Amino acid sequence: MPRFAANLTMLFNEVPFMERFAAATKAGFKGVEYLFPYDFPAEELAKQLSTHGLTQVLHNLPAGDWGKGERGIAIFPDRVDEFKAGVTKAITYAKALKCGQLNCLVGVMPQGADKKKHHDTLVSNLKFAASALKNEGIKLLIEPINTRDIPGFFLTHTRQAIDIIAEVGSDNLYDQYDIYHMQIMEGDLARTIEANLAKIAHIQLADNPNRNEPGTGEINYPFLYEFIDKIGYKGWIGAEYKPKTDTVAGLGWLPK
């Protein structure tokens, strides 16, 4: 059975953030992830992980002004210095949290913008970040996201991610495969995961159409768990969904 990590940005919102580590442990999770750690001192987060025996599975590079709708800055030619500074900051946190992989949200392309210019900037930034993270023993990931939830997001399909990974040419750049996002954008989940398994370093889940817990929508998760085991996936699966009601009440999907 795959290893499941609780996404503390989306789960256990019934309690303050720093109390979610204990809640995740009590619910049976051994790993956690969340969008960003940067609002908290790294030593406080590390203490929560240590106290509750949790593995920090993943967090994101700084992604711009989240409150203003920014969802990454890696595609913007005029923000390269900001991106590089964010990589340095993310490495500092990842090392303190013993986090072995960081995800890069690439950003939303402005309407009418030059796609090639943004693509070339992204490739250049990923070359820098993949190298910097490799020096620290940390994997770099990129995540395709659906355009229903984030209109205009630059990276939207698995094939696009794999092509960018090939263009960057680093052995330290991987795909973060989000089952929910890719069910919306392309479907054919099992075949796509299997075909790209060598470049998938992390998987996330939620059910479609409402991004609630597995078992509330159209995706056959029991089949996928077995299939992912069968093909030899060794990474974590992040539970990144919106609980339909209470987090704990909705954990019936979690294999014991």
Side-chain angles (χ1 to χ4, degrees), residues 194-217:
E194 183 174 25
N196 298 287
L197 185 63
K199 278 298 176 183
I200 294 175
H202 189 58
I203 294 175
Q204 292 177 321
L205 62 73
D207 217 332
N208 192 52
N210 296 319
R211 203 174 187 178
N212 300 137
E213 53 264 48
T216 60

Side-chain angles (χ1 to χ4, degrees), residues 153-172:
F153 197 77
F154 187 83
L155 179 59
T156 57
H157 288 80
T158 305
R159 183 73 260 164
Q160 182 189 5
I162 298 301
D163 287 346
I164 288 172
I165 289 169
E167 186 174 352
V168 170
S170 170
D171 61 358
N172 194 44

Side-chain angles (χ1 to χ4, degrees), residues 54-194:
L54 291 165
T55 297
Q56 180 72 46
V57 174
L58 177 85
H59 65 78
N60 293 318
L61 299 181
D65 192 330
W66 197 263
K68 291 183 178 179
E70 292 185 336
R71 295 296 181 265
I73 59 173
I75 62 172
F76 296 110
D78 60 342
R79 300 179 75 172
V80 171
D81 289 344
E82 181 184 352
F83 176 83
K84 290 181 176 179
V87 169
T88 300
K89 184 176 185 178
I91 288 173
T92 299
Y93 268 84
K95 289 173 69 175
L97 304 178
K98 300 178 182 178
C99 180
Q101 50 191 14
L102 297 174
N103 181 46
C104 173
L105 293 169
V106 303
V108 176
M109 191 171 73
Q111 258 189 332
D114 184 338
K115 186 172 183 178
K116 185 179 186 307
K117 192 173 183 180
H118 284 77
H119 173 89
D120 291 346
T121 300
L122 174 61
V123 169
S124 177
N125 276 334
L126 292 176
K127 286 180 178 180
F128 168 83
S131 177
L133 268 61
K134 184 176 181 178
N135 290 338
E136 304 294 343
I138 302 167
K139 292 179 180 179
L140 177 64
L141 285 58
I142 51 174
E143 179 186 14
I145 291 178
N146 82 77
T147 52
R148 184 177 69 191
D149 289 358
I150 307 181
F153 197 77
F154 187 83
L155 179 59
T156 57
H157 288 80
T158 305
R159 183 73 260 164
Q160 182 189 5
I162 298 301
D163 287 346
I164 288 172
I165 289 169
E167 186 174 352
V168 170
S170 170
D171 61 358
N172 194 44
L173 180 59
Y174 298 85
D175 179 58
Q176 177 170 302
Y177 188 89
D178 188 300
I179 293 170
Y180 163 75
H181 289 306
M182 292 302 94
Q183 170 69 358
I184 293 169
M185 297 304 294
E186 59 194 27
D188 206 15
L189 302 170
R191 289 183 183 180
T192 304
I193 294 170
E194 183 174 25

Side-chain angles (χ1 to χ4, degrees), residues 6-24 32-42 44-46 48-49 52 54 56 58-59 93 97:
N7 186 296
L8 301 186
T9 302
M10 299 186 74
L11 302 188
F12 303 106
N13 278 263
E14 298 84 2
V15 298
F17 184 80
M18 282 297 186
E19 295 178 22
R20 296 176 196 173
F21 295 85
V32 295
E33 61 178 39
Y34 34 80
L35 286 179
F36 308 107
Y38 311 113
D39 287 341
F40 303 93
E44 291 186 16
L45 296 169
Q48 289 296 321
L49 294 168
H52 300 292
L54 291 165
Q56 180 72 46
L58 177 85
H59 65 78
Y93 268 84
L97 304 178

